[in-house]
């Protein structure tokens, strides 16, 4: 084949990929306009659409065209219902919670699909068979051509709707300023409802048309929606920008795959995104925005358990040692996992709960800690305590670089951390020579140290669960103590000021940038310790442990337990680790469905988490004299 | 002659094609209440943001107690004794009134490893509490101390709390951005009295305002701004007459 013909072929393939990206990204842009969140649930709706086509064809025996139309209609309805039932109630709680809720819906739908259809990839036969359109030496299957055609038509229709119809104008007004739009006679509820419907249509069409092109499974939409989100940010939230972004990403992915390597091609959208964020941070579409004064959750003046209580708790735990000692390995294993989660969530809470800096990269830094520990031990033979400290330092160092870069982005910080998390996982997977790639590292050395009076101790993670339990417990107490000291110190004040209002924090003399970097570095360092401990306990590592889903889980544990407190991030991980173990006993998918639903329920109905809920119950049981508040 | 507390030298600020401030030079003397009035777009807010450090000038210099602070970020100026409030009221809405004032006192507290490990010494905590109480008493917010700032009933109280937060850092110069804006006539009077009280306690105060009529009696000197320049400074009463 002639070089130019090959180039043409690749360009056409790129155009095809771009069409899919454009459809999904447009859906995201429309929802972003009214909700100010990346609607990750659309990733699940995309696959759901493919599965609907599959089911209708397979079991109702209807032709592909009708199946596709039905699927689009159903997806539009589901997207609408999701908006009404999940996003709107969550929006009253906060933007961060809406974002988490979207991820929750993604998780639930994927699990439902896995439960019904299993993990095998499914295919749908194309109505055109293997008919290919040829233009010179360039070929494209009829179905792919249809995808490109449909994308072009839908892009045109969307642009027309946004520009010339009442709904489009209302939508644009709403995305600028909700109150002002309402004053000019825009009906926010109806406009929003239609936005969800139209996003559903776009994503539904993409899913239905893609079903015959590639085999699909329940998780097929996840990476797609992540890329689409990156594209919406690259395109600065505007229709034209998003189309350009989709084209840029689709073409460069195809070209990199064709001429270089398929290894890193999935990184491209995120690399482009990072580039845009660095070069033009000010132009990245609308602010994620501070919530209005009225919408603030009033933070209870938090009564911290004093050092005395912490010491009492430690004493109690030691007193219970005979009880631990007779526990079987299963429970000890569970307690160890709980302890590791408590360290991670407590450190995350310092960042998210106290300083109000959300992070979706926390599991990534946990992974950096874990891999650093493993490599320091395996390659350079560092002693255990030194490797653990090394893991914390390397994690902190990475956090320092990330936060120094990310600080410039201000309101796009959340998206940035999300991308950082994705990139860390990809790097762990792609740098095979160092990290062992997708196979991970095997044979990570376990903990060994010298205790005064007891001599050298080598812990075997399979036999000495009790020893490991004590080690983890000691570190949990240490981390909780550090956290408590930070919160009570001068720094704690600065963090709260930062969370409440960054501008005002500067006006009372807080060097906000320094504290932002500082708390990020400390938080990631603490989670790095948990990473090292985790590596030594598990003795093998795999990039899949440290994906953004894990970061998401950590955030959930934090929110469910209650943020900005000492006990919330202990109760949350403990409860959810137990819960996960209990539900895993019967079925992984059911477990995740319950988990996702519980999460959404908690976000809507128990905004302060379990800790706030239990305080409320305690107050009902033992009503203290209510603090008299003068009017 | 004593160095002025605050001095600007040929301060200019250009936004694209718009010259918001045009080589503006003026001084704030210790112990005065300086008002700057002007219509919308006169450059008052720009001047204010340049002094607080939230904007950087295109050219010119700002000196505080004779030290150039032009390139300093806002928090450094606060530490040096320059405390601002905002035109649109900004409070730590999620916290109680008392916690707001406590955060205002941020620069008065000390960090360091020893305090991190052992906690703040009891005596320091007492001093801090006394300071918070004094500020609450001075601004008349004592009875609201346990109330969340977002639930402060009147706008006048919110503005007072804003001043209380600014007082926390122990400023030498209090910068108020339209402190009377949006207040009722009685609210204006109360704010004026508060400013007078603070002045009597030895504080130098500078504020900007777009209405002259209701506030001229509260300042010792009044500048009128227009088109990014200052009209000739005069004592307040004469300025009022001149503008008529």
């Amino acid at each position: 084949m002639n070089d130019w013909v090959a180039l043409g072929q690749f360009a056409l393939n790129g155009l095809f990929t771009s069409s899919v990206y454009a459809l999904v990204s447009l859906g995201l842009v429309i929802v972003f306009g009214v909700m100010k969140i990346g609607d990750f649930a659309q990733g699940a709706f995309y696959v759901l659409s493919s599965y609907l086509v599959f089911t209708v064809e397979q079991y109702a025996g209807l032709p592909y065209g009708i199946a596709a139309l039905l699927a689009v209609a159903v997806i539009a309805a589901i997207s609408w219902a999701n908006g009404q039932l999940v996003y709107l109630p969550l929006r009253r709680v906060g933007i961060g919670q809406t974002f988490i809720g979207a991820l929750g819906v993604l998780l639930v739908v994927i699990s439902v699909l896995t439960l019904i259809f299993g993990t095998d990839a499914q295919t749908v036969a194309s109505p055109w068979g293997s008919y290919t359109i040829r233009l010179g030496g360039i070929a494209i299957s009829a179905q792919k051509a249809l995808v490109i055609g449909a994308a072009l038509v839908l892009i045109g229709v969307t642009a027309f709707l946004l520009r010339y119809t009442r709904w489009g104008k209302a939508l644009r007004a709403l995305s600028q300023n909700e109150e002002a739009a309402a004053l000019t006679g825009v009906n926010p509820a109806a406009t929003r409802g239609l936005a969800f419907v139209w996003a559903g249509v776009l994503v539904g069409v993409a899913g239905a048309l893609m079903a015959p092109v590639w085999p699909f499974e329940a998780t097929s939409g996840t990476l797609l929606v992540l890329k689409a989100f990156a594209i919406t940010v690259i395109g600065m939230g505007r229709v034209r920008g998003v189309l350009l972004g989709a084209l840029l990403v689709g073409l460069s992915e195809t070209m990199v795959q064709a001429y270089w390597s398929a290894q890193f091609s999935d990184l491209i959208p995120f690399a482009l995104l990072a580039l845009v964020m660095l070069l033009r941070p000010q132009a990245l579409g609308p602010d994620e925005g501070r919530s209005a004064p009225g919408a603030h959750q009033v933070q209870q003046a938090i009564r911290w358990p004093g050092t005395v209580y912490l010491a009492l708790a430690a004493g109690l735990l030691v007193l219970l040692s005979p009880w631990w000692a007779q526990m079987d390995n299963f429970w000890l294993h569970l307690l160890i996992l709980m302890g590791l989660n408590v360290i991670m969530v407590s450190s995350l809470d310092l960042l998210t709960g106290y300083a109000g800096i959300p992070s979706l990269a926390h599991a990534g830094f946990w992974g950096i800690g874990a891999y650093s520990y493993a490599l320091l031990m395996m390659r350079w033979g560092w002693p255990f305590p030194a490797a653990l400290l090394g893991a914390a330092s390397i994690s902190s160092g990475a956090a320092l670089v990330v936060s120094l870069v990310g600080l410039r982005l201000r309101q796009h910080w959340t998206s940035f951390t999300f991308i950082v998390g994705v990139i860390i996982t990809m790097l762990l997977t792609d740098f095979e020579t160092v990290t062992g790639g997708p196979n991970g590292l095997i044979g990570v050395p376990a903990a060994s140290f010298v205790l005064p009076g007891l001599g050298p101790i080598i812990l075997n993670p399979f036999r000495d669960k009790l020893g490991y339990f004590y080690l983890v417990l000691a570190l949990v107490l240490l981390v909780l103590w550090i956290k408590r000291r930070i919160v009570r110190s001068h720094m704690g004040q600065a963090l709260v000021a930062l969370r409440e209002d960054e501008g005002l924090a500067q006006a009372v003399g807080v060097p906000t940038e320094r504290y932002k970097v500082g708390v990020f570095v400390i938080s990631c360092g603490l989670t790095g310790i948990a990473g090292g401990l985790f590596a030594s306990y598990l003795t093998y590592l795999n990039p899949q442990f440290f994906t953004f889903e894990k970061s998401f889980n950590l955030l959930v544990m934090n929110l469910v337990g209650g943020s900005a407190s000492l006990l919330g991030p202990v109760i949350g991980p403990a409860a959810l680790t137990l819960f996960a173990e209990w539900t895993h006993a019967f079925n992984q998918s059911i477990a995740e469905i319950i988990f996702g639903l519980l999460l959404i329920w908690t976000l809507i109905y128990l905004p302060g988490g379990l800790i706030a809920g239990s305080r409320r119950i305690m107050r009902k049981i033992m009503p203290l004299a209510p603090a008299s508040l003068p009017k | 002659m004593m160095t002025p507390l605050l001095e600007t030298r040929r301060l200019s600020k250009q936004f694209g094609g718009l010259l918001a401030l045009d080589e503006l030079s003026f001084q704030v003397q210790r112990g005065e209440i300086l008002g700057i009035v002007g219509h919308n777009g006169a450059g008052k807010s720009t001047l204010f943001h340049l002094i607080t450090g939230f904007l950087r000038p295109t050219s010119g210099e700002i000196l505080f107690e004779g030290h150039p602070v032009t390139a300093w970020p806002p928090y450094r100026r606060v530490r040096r004794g320059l405390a601002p409030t905002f035109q649109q009221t900004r409070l730590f809405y999620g916290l109680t009134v008392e916690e707001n004032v406590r955060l205002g006192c941020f620069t008065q507290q000390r960090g360091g490893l020893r305090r991190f490990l052992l906690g703040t010494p009891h005596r320091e905590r007492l001093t801090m509490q006394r300071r918070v109480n004094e500020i609450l008493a001075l601004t008349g917010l004592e009875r609201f101390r346990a109330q969340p700032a977002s639930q402060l009933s009147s706008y006048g109280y919110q503005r007072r709390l804003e001043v209380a937060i600014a007082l926390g850092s122990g400023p030498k110069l209090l910068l108020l951005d339209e402190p009377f804006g949006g207040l009722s006539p009685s609210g204006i009077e109360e704010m004026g009295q508060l400013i007078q009280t603070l002045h009597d306690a030895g504080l130098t105060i500078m504020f900007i305002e777009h209405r002259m009529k209701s506030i001229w009696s509260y300042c010792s000197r009044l500048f009128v701004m227009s088109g990014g320049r200052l009209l000739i400074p005069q004592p307040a009463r004469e300025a009022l007459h001149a503008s008529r």
Side-chain angles (χ1 to χ4, degrees):
Chain A
M1 207 172 10
N2 177 322
D3 277 358
W4 288 106
V5 174
L7 185 66
Q9 180 68 56
F10 293 139
L12 190 62
N13 292 352
L15 186 66
F16 161 72
T17 316
S18 306
S19 309
V20 183
Y21 290 165
L23 281 178
V24 181
S25 310
L26 269 185
L28 291 192
V29 167
I30 288 173
V31 176
F32 193 86
V34 288
M35 299 298 295
K36 304 289 176 246
I37 57 155
D39 184 4
F40 287 87
Q42 298 291 348
F45 298 158
Y46 165 85
V47 205
L48 185 58
S49 178
S50 298
Y51 273 107
L52 282 171
V53 172
F54 170 78
T55 318
V56 172
E57 254 198 357
Q58 198 87 348
Y59 299 102
L62 292 174
Y64 172 75
I66 294 177
L69 284 179
L70 270 177
V72 172
V74 172
I75 294 301
I78 289 181
S79 173
W80 179 81
N82 179 41
Q84 305 299 317
L85 295 178
V86 180
Y87 293 165
L88 292 185
L90 276 178
R91 222 175 94 93
R92 276 173 227 129
V93 185
I95 285 193
Q97 281 80 351
T98 320
F99 189 74
I100 306 283
L103 295 173
V105 173
L106 178 75
L107 188 74
V108 169
V109 176
I110 288 178
S111 307
V112 169
L113 288 175
T114 313
L115 191 66
I116 300 175
F117 296 100
T119 47
D120 293 336
Q122 304 288 356
T123 47
V124 168
S126 166
W128 334 97
S130 55
Y131 180 75
T132 356
I133 301 169
R134 287 181 197 285
L135 278 168
I138 304 171
I140 184 168
S141 75
Q143 186 69 26
K144 286 190 181 176
L146 183 66
V147 172
I148 297 178
L152 288 177
V153 170
L154 279 175
I155 289 164
V157 172
T158 307
F160 175 82
L161 287 177
L162 287 179
R163 185 159 279 239
Y164 296 110
T165 61
R166 269 186 73 86
W167 170 69
K169 286 174 187 163
L171 188 67
R172 283 187 292 152
L174 211 57
S175 71
Q176 291 297 318
N177 185 327
E178 215 170 299
E179 281 171 23
L183 287 178
T184 60
V186 169
N187 177 347
T191 311
R192 259 191 227 118
L194 258 180
F196 291 127
V197 168
W198 190 248
V201 167
L202 292 170
V203 171
V205 167
L209 290 183
M210 288 301 287
V213 179
W214 288 321
F216 50 89
E217 52 193 30
T219 51
S220 294
T222 312
L223 185 59
L224 177 68
V225 81
L226 297 185
K227 286 181 180 175
F229 176 70
I231 290 170
T232 57
V233 183
I234 292 172
M236 296 167 190
R238 296 191 195 101
V239 172
R240 216 175 306 168
V242 164
L243 295 181
L244 272 177
L247 205 59
L248 187 67
V249 169
L251 284 177
S252 44
E253 271 189 25
T254 320
M255 293 302 169
V256 167
Q257 277 169 15
Y259 290 105
W260 184 31
S261 137
Q263 197 182 8
F264 293 100
S265 73
D266 278 341
L267 268 170
I268 287 172
F270 307 110
L272 282 174
L273 176 61
L275 206 67
V276 170
M277 283 178 155
L278 288 181
L279 296 181
R280 304 206 52 200
Q282 73 285 12
L284 290 180
D287 286 9
E288 278 167 26
R290 278 178 355 101
S291 42
H296 264 268
Q297 277 252 205
V298 173
Q299 206 76 42
Q300 299 282 331
I302 294 139
R303 295 278 161 268
W304 276 78
T307 316
V308 182
Y309 289 100
L310 218 56
L312 274 179
L316 189 70
L317 290 170
V318 173
L319 273 181
L320 281 175
S321 56
W323 189 56
W324 308 126
Q326 54 86 38
M327 261 191 180
D328 62 15
N329 278 352
F330 170 76
W331 280 101
L332 285 172
H333 172 72
L334 213 56
L335 282 168
I336 290 167
L337 291 187
M338 268 184 208
L340 292 173
N341 280 333
V342 167
I343 296 179
M344 284 188 282
V345 176
S346 293
S347 60
L348 180 66
D349 186 48
L350 208 49
L351 196 61
T352 311
Y354 280 96
I357 304 171
S359 171
L360 281 164
H362 213 57
F365 288 100
W366 177 46
I368 291 180
Y371 272 90
S372 307
Y373 167 86
L375 292 171
L376 288 175
M377 293 281 271
M378 290 162 81
R379 294 216 169 179
W380 290 286
W382 284 32
F384 172 78
L388 216 50
L389 278 180
S393 320
I394 293 173
S395 223
S396 288
L400 181 66
V401 175
V402 164
S403 57
L404 283 177
V405 172
L407 259 182
R408 297 182 45 193
L409 303 170
R410 291 168 197 284
Q411 69 267 50
H412 291 281
W413 169 263
T414 316
S415 326
F416 176 74
T417 60
F418 168 65
I419 306 294
V420 167
V422 173
I423 289 180
I424 291 176
T425 326
M426 287 187 174
L427 290 178
L428 290 180
T429 317
D430 291 341
F431 275 107
E432 288 206 50
T433 43
V434 185
T435 64
N439 299 326
L441 293 172
I442 297 165
V444 180
S448 55
F449 46 90
V450 182
L451 267 191
L454 289 175
I457 293 177
I458 300 169
L459 291 176
N460 181 325
F462 302 102
R463 279 186 277 112
D464 305 329
K465 299 266 186 210
L466 189 64
Y468 252 100
F469 167 71
Y470 282 128
L471 181 61
V472 170
L473 189 63
L475 277 170
V476 165
L477 288 173
L478 178 70
V479 167
L480 288 183
W481 181 77
I482 291 176
K483 185 180 167 193
R484 180 173 172 282
R485 292 305 334 155
I486 289 176
V487 168
R488 288 204 141 185
S489 73
H490 202 223
M491 182 173 188
Q493 296 258 302
L495 296 184
V496 170
L498 193 61
R499 174 188 72 201
E500 292 293 317
D501 185 330
E502 190 175 338
L504 188 53
Q506 285 181 15
V508 299
V510 178
T512 49
E513 313 240 314
R514 206 180 300 165
Y515 277 105
K516 278 201 249 175
V517 173
V519 71
F520 195 67
V521 166
I522 291 174
S523 167
C524 291
L526 292 180
T527 208
I529 294 184
L533 212 53
F534 175 74
S536 84
Y537 177 64
L538 215 61
T539 70
Y540 67 92
L541 288 177
N542 185 306
Q544 289 310 311
F545 296 149
F546 310 109
T547 56
F548 102 92
E549 281 97 337
K550 179 68 187 180
S551 296
F552 172 67
N553 278 345
L554 295 176
L555 266 182
V556 172
M557 289 177 185
N558 196 351
L559 284 173
V560 167
S563 57
S565 72
L566 183 71
L567 286 180
V570 175
I571 294 171
L576 288 182
T577 312
L578 259 183
F579 176 78
E581 201 51 47
W582 170 62
T583 47
H584 276 201
F586 41 100
N587 183 307
Q588 171 89 30
S589 297
I590 293 180
E592 282 180 3
I593 294 169
I594 300 176
F595 181 76
L597 292 177
L598 195 71
L599 160 71
I600 294 167
W601 184 85
T602 313
L603 288 177
I604 298 177
Y605 295 105
L606 205 64
L610 289 175
I611 188 93
S614 62
R615 275 202 199 110
R616 231 174 292 151
I617 293 169
M618 283 300 279
R619 227 165 284 150
K620 269 189 192 151
I621 300 170
M622 302 187 296
L624 301 169
S628 51
L629 297 180
K631 287 208 180 108
Chain B
M1 190 187 143
M2 254 169 72
T3 49
L5 189 56
L6 179 82
E7 185 179 3
T8 70
R9 290 186 183 159
R10 300 167 69 95
L11 204 58
S12 296
K13 177 69 187 179
Q14 187 123 21
F15 293 106
L18 176 78
L19 190 62
L21 269 195
D22 187 7
E23 302 216 330
L24 191 141
S25 304
F26 77 103
Q27 300 178 345
V28 181
Q29 303 298 340
R30 282 188 170 79
E32 71 175 335
I33 304 180
L34 177 70
I36 294 187
V37 295
H39 55 79
N40 287 332
K44 305 183 303 286
S45 292
T46 306
L47 173 63
F48 196 83
H49 290 314
L50 289 176
I51 295 174
T52 57
F54 283 97
L55 280 178
R56 293 283 156 83
T58 313
S59 65
E61 245 191 318
I62 302 167
L63 293 106
F64 188 68
E65 298 184 303
H67 294 270
V69 297
T70 322
W72 285 16
Y75 75 87
R76 271 188 85 183
R77 302 185 193 204
V78 176
R79 294 191 169 181
R80 185 88 204 195
L82 229 164
T85 67
F86 295 88
Q87 187 174 345
Q88 283 190 320
T89 310
R90 286 175 90 160
L91 306 169
F92 298 112
Y93 287 100
L95 306 175
T96 65
V97 168
E98 184 173 347
E99 286 166 332
N100 266 274
V101 176
R102 199 177 294 274
L103 281 187
C105 299
F106 181 79
T107 56
Q108 302 296 309
Q109 296 163 14
R110 291 163 66 190
L113 189 63
R114 201 175 69 88
R115 281 177 179 73
F116 173 78
L117 291 174
L118 304 172
T120 313
H122 186 63
R123 186 176 303 173
E124 271 178 38
R125 259 188 280 170
L126 277 185
T127 317
M128 185 51 58
Q129 189 58 48
R130 211 172 299 134
R131 184 183 178 83
V132 170
N133 291 344
E134 272 168 22
I135 292 175
L136 284 172
L138 195 63
T139 48
L141 291 168
E142 261 171 327
R143 58 206 168 103
F144 304 115
R145 63 163 68 221
Q147 203 163 323
S150 57
Q151 287 168 21
L152 267 183
S153 51
S154 87
Y155 186 57
Y157 287 127
Q158 294 187 12
R159 296 238 88 155
R160 277 161 177 265
L161 179 54
E162 213 183 359
V163 174
I165 293 172
L167 289 176
S169 63
K172 294 169 185 148
L173 174 59
L174 185 62
L175 293 159
L176 303 174
D177 193 346
E178 303 205 356
F180 301 99
L183 292 180
S184 64
S186 67
I188 290 180
E189 198 168 310
E190 282 171 22
M191 179 56 76
Q193 278 167 9
L194 177 58
I195 290 178
Q196 201 57 55
T197 314
L198 296 177
H199 178 247
D200 293 343
L203 215 57
T204 309
I205 296 162
M206 174 184 151
F207 65 83
I208 63 175
E209 193 57 55
H210 67 278
R211 290 174 308 180
M212 186 192 285
K213 210 171 151 195
S214 44
I215 56 103
W216 63 271
S217 55
Y218 300 118
C219 35
S220 43
R221 240 180 358 140
L222 194 62
F223 284 109
V224 180
M225 255 188 107
S226 178
R229 293 161 184 267
L230 284 185
L231 304 181
I232 304 158
Q234 295 164 332
R237 193 174 290 273
E238 277 99 88
L240 180 68
H241 286 295
S243 77
R244 273 192 178 146

